[in-house]
């Protein structure tokens, strides 16, 4: 030996790279607990594993479901691939013969089918364009970062596989220990047994000392986090920017998309708060937003426009110069009377209403080319009508009582919610 000190490279951490982190996540993945679960214990398993309130995880899954539809597939995947706390393997691994699980093989097959259907449904059709991919990416990134930062904490103990060992056939047997030619020892032994084999009761031991009662420790005050305030401010700015974009004529920023963007901001805030143990107040914002998003998904408020103000609007132009090319309202009834216009050159006007009834009255002899549509309500254009939700637009031309040759009028009438009527008067 030369006496020189030998320097060795530090042993790499098990979570040095992406591949090592993913492998370690699978080996030490969360286990679904028996206590504290609501359905299958997926949210509770993630919360207990990484030291997060399970309520935050549940709200994040609801936001992911409303935001892009991937919350349900993720929960089913967790049910299928996360083992129970007393299971050897997960339900899917038990299905392929890797070990024992509380999830029966038949139910594992049902979960596989539901997972495939829900994944396909979330990616094929989403009320928020690209929302499924965005929510999937957010969930994957959140799990990866959680395991990178807290993967060495609360690691679940491995479950020892059950083994059954049988010794003998269970019958009571006796083995003769004394030999026939053993020499008799002096003295009289009424039991004819070796004293060393006597099973004598042991002397009672002293009772254990009573346990020391636990001392009450006042919990440390929770440090206020700025994640909630920052996320709320960013959500307000996002909503305001979406409304301004809609007012400036950007059709993509509809009510559904604006709420989806705000939910995305709140979801990012919840994930960030899970790391710094803050932002619990965002749950009170996420729940009503999720309900509003669900309502907007169910009821067709497509392309709801915020422009035009609110209240009832009644207009009767007496000259062509009084007629506007667009009559628009965010909420309220619109009553447009065109019967006082003098006959002359062809005229065209559009009527757009967000929520409310729209009525357009035209002269008896006018030749009217119309396009009438409402997202939810009744559409009645002359002798044609439609009623319900998401009905096709009524289009056509009506020449009036005298046939072709009258004043030419082109109408485009559109409601998001409410009744539409075009009639003669």
């Amino acid at each position: 030996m030369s006496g020189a000190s030998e320097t060795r490279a530090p042993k790499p951490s098990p979570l040095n790279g992406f591949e090592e982190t993913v492998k370690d996540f699978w080996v030490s993945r969360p286990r679904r607990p028996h206590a504290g679960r609501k359905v299958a214990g997926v949210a509770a398993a993630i919360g207990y594993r990484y030291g997060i309130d399970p309520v935050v995880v549940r709200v994040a899954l609801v936001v992911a479901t409303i935001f892009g539809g991937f919350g349900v597939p993720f929960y089913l995947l967790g049910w299928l691939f996360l083992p129970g706390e007393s299971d050897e393997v997960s339900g899917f691994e038990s299905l392929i013969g890797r070990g024992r699980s509380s999830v029966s093989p038949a139910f594992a097959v049902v979960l596989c089918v539901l997972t495939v259907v829900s994944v396909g449904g979330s990616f094929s059709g989403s009320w928020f364009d690209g929302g499924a991919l965005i929510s999937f990416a957010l969930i994957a990134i959140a799990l990866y970062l959680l395991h990178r930062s807290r993967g060495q904490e609360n690691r679940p103990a491995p479950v020892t596989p059950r083994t059954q060992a049988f010794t003998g056939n269970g019958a009571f047997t006796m083995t003769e220990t004394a030999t026939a030619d053993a020499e008799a020892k002096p003295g009289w032994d009424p039991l004819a047994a070796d004293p060393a084999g006597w099973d004598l009761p042991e002397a009672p031991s002293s009772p254990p000392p009573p346990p020391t009662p636990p001392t009450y420790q006042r919990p440390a005050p929770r440090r206020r986090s700025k994640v909630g305030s920052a996320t709320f401010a960013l959500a307000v700015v996002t909503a305001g920017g979406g409304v301004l974009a809609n007012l400036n004529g950007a059709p993509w920023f509809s009510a559904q998309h604006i709420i989806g963007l705000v939910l995305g901001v709140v979801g990012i805030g919840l994930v960030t708060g899970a790391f710094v143990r803050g932002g619990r107040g965002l749950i009170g914002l996420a729940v009503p937003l999720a309900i509003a998003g669900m309502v907007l998904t169910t009821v067709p408020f497509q392309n709801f426009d915020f422009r035009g103000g609110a209240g009832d609007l009644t207009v009767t132009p007496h000259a062509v110069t009084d007629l506007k090319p667009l009559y628009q309202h965010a909420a309220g009834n619109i009553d447009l009377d065109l019967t006082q216009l003098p006959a002359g050159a062809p005229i065209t006007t559009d009527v757009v209403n967000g929520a409310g009834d729209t009525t357009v009255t035209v002269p008896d002899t006018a030749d009217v080319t119309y396009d009438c549509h409402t997202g939810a309500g009744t559409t009645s254009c002359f002798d044609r009508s439609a009623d319900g939700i998401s009905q096709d637009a009524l289009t056509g031309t009506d020449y009036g009582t005298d046939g072709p040759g009258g004043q030419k009028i082109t109408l485009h009438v559109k409601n998001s919610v409410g009744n539409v009527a075009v009639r003669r008067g």
Side-chain angles (χ1 to χ4, degrees):
M1 296 180 62
S2 60
S5 61
E6 181 181 358
T7 60
R8 296 183 179 180
K11 184 177 180 181
S13 171
L15 303 181
N16 273 341
F18 175 79
E19 183 178 357
E20 290 78 5
T21 303
V22 174
K23 289 181 179 179
D24 186 73
F25 170 79
W26 178 256
V27 172
S28 63
R29 61 191 185 274
R31 289 184 171 271
R32 297 180 290 109
H34 297 306
R37 62 169 60 184
K38 299 300 181 182
V39 181
V42 175
I46 297 175
Y48 297 160
R49 174 68 174 87
Y50 298 110
I52 306 172
D53 192 338
V55 176
V56 176
V57 181
R58 295 185 182 106
V59 172
L61 291 178
V62 172
V63 171
T65 302
I66 303 300
F67 180 66
F70 199 76
V72 173
F74 175 80
Y75 198 91
L76 293 175
L77 287 172
W79 199 343
L80 194 58
F81 288 97
L82 296 183
E85 62 180 355
S86 60
D87 295 343
E88 298 174 8
V89 294
S90 64
F92 181 80
E93 292 171 299
S94 175
L95 182 63
I96 60 177
R98 293 289 184 86
R100 178 186 57 82
S101 174
S102 58
V103 179
S104 64
F107 190 67
V109 172
V110 174
L111 287 177
C112 290
V113 174
L114 293 177
T115 302
V116 172
V117 172
S118 61
V119 170
S122 62
F123 280 99
S124 61
S126 174
W127 66 275
F128 187 86
D129 300 335
L133 184 61
I134 295 174
S135 60
F136 168 75
L138 289 176
I139 291 175
I141 293 173
L143 279 179
Y144 177 79
L145 295 178
L146 277 175
H147 197 77
R148 287 282 298 182
S149 61
R150 304 183 182 183
Q152 302 304 321
E153 303 175 7
N154 305 323
R155 298 178 71 89
V159 177
T160 305
R162 294 182 180 178
T163 57
Q164 294 181 350
F166 297 94
T167 57
N169 57 5
F172 179 74
T173 58
M174 294 182 62
T175 57
E176 186 177 357
T177 57
T179 57
D181 55 349
E183 296 182 358
K185 294 184 179 180
W188 178 68
D189 186 1
L191 298 178
D194 186 3
W198 294 353
D199 187 9
L200 300 177
E202 297 181 357
S205 58
S206 58
T212 305
T215 58
Y216 174 75
Q217 294 182 354
R218 185 188 183 98
R222 177 178 294 179
R223 182 174 58 88
R224 295 182 61 87
S225 174
K226 298 181 179 180
V227 174
S229 302
T231 303
F232 180 77
L234 185 58
V236 172
V237 172
T238 302
V243 172
L244 289 177
N246 181 277
L247 295 176
N248 289 326
W252 188 87
F253 288 93
S254 61
Q256 300 97 316
H257 289 173
I258 293 174
I259 291 181
L261 290 174
V262 176
L263 272 175
V265 172
V266 174
I268 294 175
L270 286 171
V271 173
T272 305
F275 287 96
V276 299
R277 291 179 171 86
R280 287 177 58 92
L282 295 175
I283 298 176
L285 178 62
V287 171
L289 283 176
I291 295 175
M294 186 177 300
V295 171
L296 290 177
T297 305
T298 306
V299 180
F301 287 88
Q302 286 88 355
N303 300 323
F304 189 92
D305 208 312
F306 298 97
R307 293 174 289 179
D312 294 340
L313 176 65
T314 301
V315 180
T316 305
H318 291 80
V320 176
T321 55
D322 297 336
L323 182 66
K324 295 181 180 180
L326 174 64
Y327 294 92
Q328 188 166 16
H329 233 40
N333 298 329
I334 298 179
D335 189 355
L336 177 62
D337 187 358
L338 303 179
T339 59
Q340 303 301 318
L341 288 174
I347 59 176
T348 300
T349 186
D350 294 354
V351 183
V352 179
N353 197 356
D357 296 339
T358 301
T359 303
V360 180
T361 307
V362 298
D364 291 334
T365 60
D367 298 344
V368 182
T369 300
Y370 57 89
D371 180 355
C372 305
H373 176 264
T374 183
T378 301
T379 304
S380 176
C381 291
F382 303 110
D383 58 348
R384 302 179 60 188
S385 63
D387 186 17
I389 297 175
S390 298
Q391 296 290 327
D392 294 333
L394 298 181
T395 59
T397 302
D398 189 272
Y399 296 105
T401 57
D402 62 342
Q407 170 74 34
K408 296 185 182 298
I409 300 176
T410 302
L411 292 176
H412 301 284
V413 185
K414 182 178 181 181
N415 269 28
S416 294
V417 177
N419 300 327
V420 173
V422 178
R423 63 192 182 187
R424 298 185 182 275

